[in-house]
Amino acid sequence: MLGTFAKAFRTPDLRRKLLFTIGIMVLFRLGSFIPCPGVDYSVINSIQKQASDNDLLGLINLFSGGGLLQLSVFALGIMPYITASIIVQLLRVVIPRFEVLHKEGQSGQTKLTQYTRYLTIALAILQSTAVITTARSGALFGTQGSDQQVISPDTPMTVTLMIITMTAGTGLIMWLGELITEKGVGNGMSLLIFTSIVAGFPGSMGQILGSNVGGIVNFVVVIVVFVAVIGAIVFVEQSQRRIPVQYAKRMVGRRTYGGSTTYIPIKINTAGVIPIIFSSSLLALPSMITQFIQDGSNPFVQWIANNLSSTDAVYMILYAGLTIFFCFFYTAITFNPEEVADNMKKYGGFIPGIRAGRPTAEYLNYVINRITTPGSIYLAVVALIPQVLFGLMNINQNLPFGGTTLLIIVGVGLDTVKQIESQLQQRHYEGFLR
């Protein structure tokens, strides 16, 4: 593997792409430490240890590389773009125009990408407004009622300038990601998310190692479980069900087309990391709402505090159930058996032993449901491993070690390796995988 890296850097074109990608990632990390205008950075540093334990804010802070709780220029991170991409993808079911654009190929995808950019900016404005509002009230850091003022001077002009700065930061992140895709090794947005997640690992692992009770033991256990789960994720993510497809021979003029045999690859985890993001975000909303309710004796607030913590049994059951549900839901949206069957029939393709048309669609639907069942259970198990582990080890801090982060790290790592490997193979070099 080290020899392959050496060959990659000895290739001028690939070396230039790798250095360009690394440079963009460094710029992205620097932006996560530059505070917005009007933010009192000394106050931010003094209340960092009192930051909110809300899971939704923790997820956004994770994807921003820690920039959210520092109110930096890149405080929103890549989350507005992720949300916009998911919304545009889901709107294909509701808006026929989007489905038509999806089928138009490259030109349609360009138009959908343009809509995603517009929606990203709109969401960035909304999210920056919400972040600044919670920061002014102290709910973002869990310091309601405190005399510490994060924003100084707290005037409408300062707040407006902060909203514009955070929105512009989101637009800049989107542009940096597209630069990596165009001039770097590819997968620009995914690599920026990967950078944000990995950046938090050293500090969090250092906190475990430096804890007074069982620090070294907890550190070793976390590392062992971390490596084992990553190995299992790699194994499952690389697994797929291959449905054979044959194409009949047909004459067009004097040429013969078809007659080939191929397959439809169906991954065990078709939905990727989206179900876990949906589940964690939905379960984090009640805790976020209770932060704005000052009455601690309210029965709703007490029930949320007692049952919807990330290590509680009720939370884990709901988390697993929602993950399984969203896995089936998102798979049904992204994989349309009837569309696949129609395209196969149009080009003379058929599954051996299955008639073309409706029987093919029913067979594909049967297969995808059987594949999604173990895939959804696998996602639920991966999502719950950190909660169970940290609950048993009495680790109460929020760590960048969850189902979402592990799946993103493995997925982005595999895709990046494949991108580099494909470019090495074009120059007759051996890749990472033999």
Short mmCIF file of all heavy atoms in Angstrom, two decimals, residues 80-118:
data_model
loop_
_atom_site.label_atom_id
_atom_site.label_comp_id
_atom_site.label_asym_id
_atom_site.label_seq_id
_atom_site.Cartn_x
_atom_site.Cartn_y
_atom_site.Cartn_z
N PRO A 80 -26.19 22.18 5.26
CA PRO A 80 -27.22 22.71 4.35
C PRO A 80 -27.20 22.04 2.98
O PRO A 80 -28.26 21.77 2.40
CB PRO A 80 -26.87 24.20 4.25
CG PRO A 80 -26.14 24.50 5.51
CD PRO A 80 -25.36 23.27 5.82
N TYR A 81 -26.01 21.73 2.46
CA TYR A 81 -25.93 21.07 1.16
C TYR A 81 -26.44 19.64 1.24
O TYR A 81 -27.15 19.18 0.33
CB TYR A 81 -24.48 21.08 0.66
CG TYR A 81 -24.32 20.48 -0.71
CD1 TYR A 81 -24.56 21.24 -1.85
CD2 TYR A 81 -23.96 19.14 -0.86
CE1 TYR A 81 -24.43 20.68 -3.12
CE2 TYR A 81 -23.83 18.58 -2.13
CZ TYR A 81 -24.06 19.36 -3.25
OH TYR A 81 -23.94 18.80 -4.50
N ILE A 82 -26.12 18.93 2.33
CA ILE A 82 -26.62 17.56 2.49
C ILE A 82 -28.15 17.57 2.55
O ILE A 82 -28.83 16.78 1.89
CB ILE A 82 -26.03 16.93 3.76
CG1 ILE A 82 -24.51 16.80 3.64
CG2 ILE A 82 -26.65 15.57 4.04
CD1 ILE A 82 -23.86 16.30 4.92
N THR A 83 -28.69 18.49 3.36
CA THR A 83 -30.14 18.57 3.49
C THR A 83 -30.80 18.92 2.16
O THR A 83 -31.82 18.32 1.78
CB THR A 83 -30.51 19.63 4.54
OG1 THR A 83 -29.81 19.37 5.76
CG2 THR A 83 -32.00 19.62 4.81
N ALA A 84 -30.21 19.87 1.43
CA ALA A 84 -30.77 20.26 0.14
C ALA A 84 -30.73 19.10 -0.86
O ALA A 84 -31.68 18.88 -1.61
CB ALA A 84 -30.02 21.47 -0.42
N SER A 85 -29.64 18.35 -0.86
CA SER A 85 -29.53 17.21 -1.77
C SER A 85 -30.58 16.16 -1.47
O SER A 85 -31.20 15.60 -2.39
CB SER A 85 -28.13 16.59 -1.67
OG SER A 85 -27.13 17.53 -1.99
N ILE A 86 -30.81 15.88 -0.18
CA ILE A 86 -31.82 14.90 0.20
C ILE A 86 -33.21 15.38 -0.19
O ILE A 86 -34.03 14.61 -0.72
CB ILE A 86 -31.73 14.61 1.71
CG1 ILE A 86 -30.39 13.95 2.04
CG2 ILE A 86 -32.88 13.73 2.16
CD1 ILE A 86 -30.16 13.77 3.53
N ILE A 87 -33.49 16.67 0.04
CA ILE A 87 -34.81 17.21 -0.29
C ILE A 87 -35.07 17.13 -1.79
O ILE A 87 -36.15 16.71 -2.24
CB ILE A 87 -34.93 18.67 0.21
CG1 ILE A 87 -34.96 18.71 1.74
CG2 ILE A 87 -36.18 19.34 -0.36
CD1 ILE A 87 -34.94 20.10 2.32
N VAL A 88 -34.08 17.52 -2.60
CA VAL A 88 -34.25 17.47 -4.06
C VAL A 88 -34.46 16.03 -4.52
O VAL A 88 -35.27 15.76 -5.41
CB VAL A 88 -33.02 18.10 -4.77
CG1 VAL A 88 -33.06 17.82 -6.26
CG2 VAL A 88 -32.98 19.60 -4.51
N GLN A 89 -33.76 15.09 -3.89
CA GLN A 89 -33.92 13.69 -4.27
C GLN A 89 -35.31 13.18 -3.89
O GLN A 89 -35.94 12.44 -4.66
CB GLN A 89 -32.84 12.85 -3.59
CG GLN A 89 -32.65 11.48 -4.22
CD GLN A 89 -31.39 10.81 -3.75
OE1 GLN A 89 -30.74 11.28 -2.82
NE2 GLN A 89 -31.02 9.72 -4.37
N LEU A 90 -35.80 13.57 -2.72
CA LEU A 90 -37.13 13.14 -2.30
C LEU A 90 -38.24 13.81 -3.12
O LEU A 90 -39.31 13.22 -3.32
CB LEU A 90 -37.34 13.45 -0.81
CG LEU A 90 -36.45 12.68 0.18
CD1 LEU A 90 -36.73 13.13 1.60
CD2 LEU A 90 -36.68 11.18 0.06
N LEU A 91 -37.99 15.03 -3.59
CA LEU A 91 -39.01 15.75 -4.37
C LEU A 91 -39.26 15.11 -5.73
O LEU A 91 -40.24 15.44 -6.39
CB LEU A 91 -38.59 17.21 -4.56
CG LEU A 91 -38.74 18.11 -3.34
CD1 LEU A 91 -38.26 19.52 -3.65
CD2 LEU A 91 -40.19 18.15 -2.85
N ARG A 92 -38.38 14.19 -6.16
CA ARG A 92 -38.62 13.49 -7.41
C ARG A 92 -39.91 12.69 -7.36
O ARG A 92 -40.57 12.49 -8.38
CB ARG A 92 -37.45 12.54 -7.73
CG ARG A 92 -36.20 13.24 -8.20
CD ARG A 92 -35.02 12.29 -8.21
NE ARG A 92 -35.38 10.97 -8.70
CZ ARG A 92 -34.66 9.88 -8.50
NH1 ARG A 92 -33.54 9.96 -7.79
NH2 ARG A 92 -35.04 8.72 -8.97
N VAL A 93 -40.30 12.25 -6.16
CA VAL A 93 -41.54 11.49 -6.01
C VAL A 93 -42.76 12.41 -6.09
O VAL A 93 -43.82 12.01 -6.54
CB VAL A 93 -41.53 10.73 -4.67
CG1 VAL A 93 -42.76 9.87 -4.52
CG2 VAL A 93 -40.27 9.87 -4.57
N VAL A 94 -42.59 13.66 -5.65
CA VAL A 94 -43.71 14.60 -5.54
C VAL A 94 -43.86 15.46 -6.79
O VAL A 94 -44.97 15.71 -7.26
CB VAL A 94 -43.54 15.49 -4.29
CG1 VAL A 94 -44.72 16.44 -4.12
CG2 VAL A 94 -43.35 14.63 -3.05
N ILE A 95 -42.73 15.92 -7.34
CA ILE A 95 -42.75 16.85 -8.47
C ILE A 95 -42.34 16.09 -9.74
O ILE A 95 -41.19 15.67 -9.86
CB ILE A 95 -41.80 18.04 -8.23
CG1 ILE A 95 -42.18 18.76 -6.94
CG2 ILE A 95 -41.83 19.00 -9.41
CD1 ILE A 95 -41.25 19.91 -6.58
N PRO A 96 -43.26 15.90 -10.68
CA PRO A 96 -42.92 15.15 -11.91
C PRO A 96 -41.79 15.78 -12.70
O PRO A 96 -41.02 15.08 -13.36
CB PRO A 96 -44.24 15.17 -12.70
CG PRO A 96 -45.30 15.40 -11.68
CD PRO A 96 -44.68 16.26 -10.64
N ARG A 97 -41.66 17.11 -12.65
CA ARG A 97 -40.62 17.81 -13.39
C ARG A 97 -39.23 17.34 -12.95
O ARG A 97 -38.33 17.16 -13.78
CB ARG A 97 -40.76 19.31 -13.17
CG ARG A 97 -39.61 20.17 -13.71
CD ARG A 97 -39.45 20.06 -15.20
NE ARG A 97 -38.36 20.92 -15.68
CZ ARG A 97 -37.86 20.85 -16.89
NH1 ARG A 97 -38.31 19.95 -17.76
NH2 ARG A 97 -36.89 21.66 -17.25
N PHE A 98 -39.06 17.12 -11.65
CA PHE A 98 -37.77 16.65 -11.15
C PHE A 98 -37.46 15.25 -11.64
O PHE A 98 -36.31 14.93 -11.93
CB PHE A 98 -37.77 16.69 -9.61
CG PHE A 98 -37.53 18.07 -9.04
CD1 PHE A 98 -37.85 19.21 -9.77
CD2 PHE A 98 -37.02 18.23 -7.77
CE1 PHE A 98 -37.64 20.48 -9.25
CE2 PHE A 98 -36.79 19.50 -7.24
CZ PHE A 98 -37.12 20.62 -7.99
N GLU A 99 -38.48 14.40 -11.72
CA GLU A 99 -38.27 13.04 -12.22
C GLU A 99 -37.89 13.06 -13.69
O GLU A 99 -37.03 12.28 -14.14
CB GLU A 99 -39.55 12.22 -12.01
CG GLU A 99 -39.43 10.76 -12.41
CD GLU A 99 -38.43 10.00 -11.55
OE1 GLU A 99 -38.19 10.41 -10.40
OE2 GLU A 99 -37.89 8.99 -12.03
N VAL A 100 -38.50 13.98 -14.46
CA VAL A 100 -38.15 14.11 -15.89
C VAL A 100 -36.70 14.56 -16.03
O VAL A 100 -35.95 14.04 -16.87
CB VAL A 100 -39.11 15.10 -16.58
CG1 VAL A 100 -38.64 15.41 -18.01
CG2 VAL A 100 -40.53 14.54 -16.61
N LEU A 101 -36.29 15.54 -15.22
CA LEU A 101 -34.90 16.01 -15.27
C LEU A 101 -33.93 14.89 -14.90
O LEU A 101 -32.84 14.78 -15.47
CB LEU A 101 -34.71 17.20 -14.33
CG LEU A 101 -35.37 18.51 -14.74
CD1 LEU A 101 -35.22 19.56 -13.64
CD2 LEU A 101 -34.77 19.04 -16.04
N HIS A 102 -34.32 14.06 -13.94
CA HIS A 102 -33.45 12.95 -13.52
C HIS A 102 -33.21 11.96 -14.67
O HIS A 102 -32.13 11.37 -14.77
CB HIS A 102 -34.08 12.23 -12.33
CG HIS A 102 -33.31 11.03 -11.88
ND1 HIS A 102 -32.09 11.11 -11.25
CD2 HIS A 102 -33.59 9.70 -11.98
CE1 HIS A 102 -31.65 9.90 -10.98
NE2 HIS A 102 -32.53 9.02 -11.41
N LYS A 103 -34.20 11.81 -15.54
CA LYS A 103 -34.09 10.86 -16.65
C LYS A 103 -33.43 11.46 -17.89
O LYS A 103 -33.18 10.74 -18.85
CB LYS A 103 -35.49 10.33 -17.03
CG LYS A 103 -36.16 9.52 -15.93
CD LYS A 103 -37.54 9.06 -16.36
CE LYS A 103 -38.21 8.24 -15.26
NZ LYS A 103 -39.57 7.79 -15.67
N GLU A 104 -33.16 12.76 -17.87
CA GLU A 104 -32.60 13.41 -19.06
C GLU A 104 -31.09 13.29 -19.17
O GLU A 104 -30.50 13.81 -20.11
CB GLU A 104 -32.99 14.90 -19.07
CG GLU A 104 -34.44 15.13 -19.43
CD GLU A 104 -34.78 16.61 -19.51
OE1 GLU A 104 -33.87 17.43 -19.21
OE2 GLU A 104 -35.92 16.96 -19.86
N GLY A 105 -30.46 12.61 -18.21
CA GLY A 105 -29.01 12.42 -18.28
C GLY A 105 -28.25 13.60 -17.72
O GLY A 105 -28.66 14.23 -16.74
N GLN A 106 -27.14 13.93 -18.38
CA GLN A 106 -26.22 14.94 -17.86
C GLN A 106 -26.86 16.32 -17.79
O GLN A 106 -26.68 17.07 -16.82
CB GLN A 106 -24.97 15.00 -18.73
CG GLN A 106 -23.89 15.94 -18.20
CD GLN A 106 -23.37 15.51 -16.84
OE1 GLN A 106 -23.26 14.32 -16.57
NE2 GLN A 106 -23.05 16.47 -15.99
N SER A 107 -27.63 16.71 -18.80
CA SER A 107 -28.26 18.03 -18.80
C SER A 107 -29.28 18.16 -17.67
O SER A 107 -29.36 19.19 -17.00
CB SER A 107 -28.95 18.29 -20.15
OG SER A 107 -29.96 17.32 -20.40
N GLY A 108 -30.06 17.08 -17.43
CA GLY A 108 -31.02 17.12 -16.34
C GLY A 108 -30.33 17.15 -14.98
O GLY A 108 -30.78 17.88 -14.07
N GLN A 109 -29.25 16.40 -14.82
CA GLN A 109 -28.52 16.41 -13.56
C GLN A 109 -27.91 17.78 -13.28
O GLN A 109 -27.85 18.22 -12.13
CB GLN A 109 -27.40 15.35 -13.59
CG GLN A 109 -27.91 13.92 -13.54
CD GLN A 109 -28.62 13.60 -12.25
OE1 GLN A 109 -28.31 14.15 -11.20
NE2 GLN A 109 -29.59 12.70 -12.31
N THR A 110 -27.47 18.46 -14.34
CA THR A 110 -26.94 19.82 -14.17
C THR A 110 -28.00 20.77 -13.64
O THR A 110 -27.74 21.60 -12.76
CB THR A 110 -26.39 20.34 -15.50
OG1 THR A 110 -25.38 19.44 -15.99
CG2 THR A 110 -25.79 21.73 -15.35
N LYS A 111 -29.22 20.62 -14.15
CA LYS A 111 -30.33 21.47 -13.69
C LYS A 111 -30.69 21.16 -12.24
O LYS A 111 -30.92 22.07 -11.44
CB LYS A 111 -31.55 21.23 -14.59
CG LYS A 111 -32.59 22.34 -14.53
CD LYS A 111 -32.08 23.62 -15.16
CE LYS A 111 -33.16 24.69 -15.18
NZ LYS A 111 -32.67 25.97 -15.74
N LEU A 112 -30.72 19.87 -11.89
CA LEU A 112 -31.01 19.49 -10.51
C LEU A 112 -29.92 19.99 -9.56
O LEU A 112 -30.21 20.40 -8.43
CB LEU A 112 -31.14 17.97 -10.40
CG LEU A 112 -32.40 17.35 -11.02
CD1 LEU A 112 -32.33 15.83 -10.92
CD2 LEU A 112 -33.66 17.87 -10.34
N THR A 113 -28.67 19.95 -10.02
CA THR A 113 -27.57 20.47 -9.20
C THR A 113 -27.74 21.97 -8.96
O THR A 113 -27.46 22.48 -7.87
CB THR A 113 -26.22 20.20 -9.89
OG1 THR A 113 -26.07 18.79 -10.09
CG2 THR A 113 -25.07 20.71 -9.05
N GLN A 114 -28.21 22.68 -9.98
CA GLN A 114 -28.45 24.11 -9.84
C GLN A 114 -29.55 24.38 -8.81
O GLN A 114 -29.42 25.28 -7.96
CB GLN A 114 -28.84 24.71 -11.20
CG GLN A 114 -28.92 26.22 -11.22
CD GLN A 114 -29.21 26.75 -12.61
OE1 GLN A 114 -29.41 25.99 -13.54
NE2 GLN A 114 -29.24 28.06 -12.75
N TYR A 115 -30.63 23.59 -8.87
CA TYR A 115 -31.69 23.74 -7.87
C TYR A 115 -31.16 23.44 -6.46
O TYR A 115 -31.55 24.11 -5.49
CB TYR A 115 -32.85 22.79 -8.19
CG TYR A 115 -33.63 23.16 -9.44
CD1 TYR A 115 -34.29 22.19 -10.19
CD2 TYR A 115 -33.71 24.47 -9.87
CE1 TYR A 115 -35.00 22.51 -11.33
CE2 TYR A 115 -34.41 24.82 -11.01
CZ TYR A 115 -35.06 23.83 -11.74
OH TYR A 115 -35.76 24.16 -12.88
N THR A 116 -30.28 22.44 -6.37
CA THR A 116 -29.70 22.08 -5.07
C THR A 116 -28.89 23.24 -4.51
O THR A 116 -28.92 23.51 -3.30
CB THR A 116 -28.82 20.83 -5.21
OG1 THR A 116 -29.58 19.76 -5.76
CG2 THR A 116 -28.27 20.40 -3.86
N ARG A 117 -28.15 23.93 -5.37
CA ARG A 117 -27.36 25.08 -4.90
C ARG A 117 -28.25 26.19 -4.38
O ARG A 117 -27.98 26.76 -3.31
CB ARG A 117 -26.50 25.60 -6.05
CG ARG A 117 -25.38 24.66 -6.49
CD ARG A 117 -24.76 25.16 -7.77
NE ARG A 117 -23.70 24.27 -8.27
CZ ARG A 117 -23.21 24.31 -9.49
NH1 ARG A 117 -23.66 25.22 -10.36
NH2 ARG A 117 -22.25 23.48 -9.86
N TYR A 118 -29.31 26.50 -5.11
CA TYR A 118 -30.24 27.55 -4.65
C TYR A 118 -30.85 27.18 -3.30
O TYR A 118 -30.95 28.01 -2.39
CB TYR A 118 -31.35 27.78 -5.68
CG TYR A 118 -30.87 28.35 -7.00
CD1 TYR A 118 -31.52 28.06 -8.19
CD2 TYR A 118 -29.76 29.18 -7.06
CE1 TYR A 118 -31.08 28.58 -9.41
CE2 TYR A 118 -29.30 29.71 -8.25
CZ TYR A 118 -29.97 29.41 -9.43
OH TYR A 118 -29.54 29.92 -10.63
#
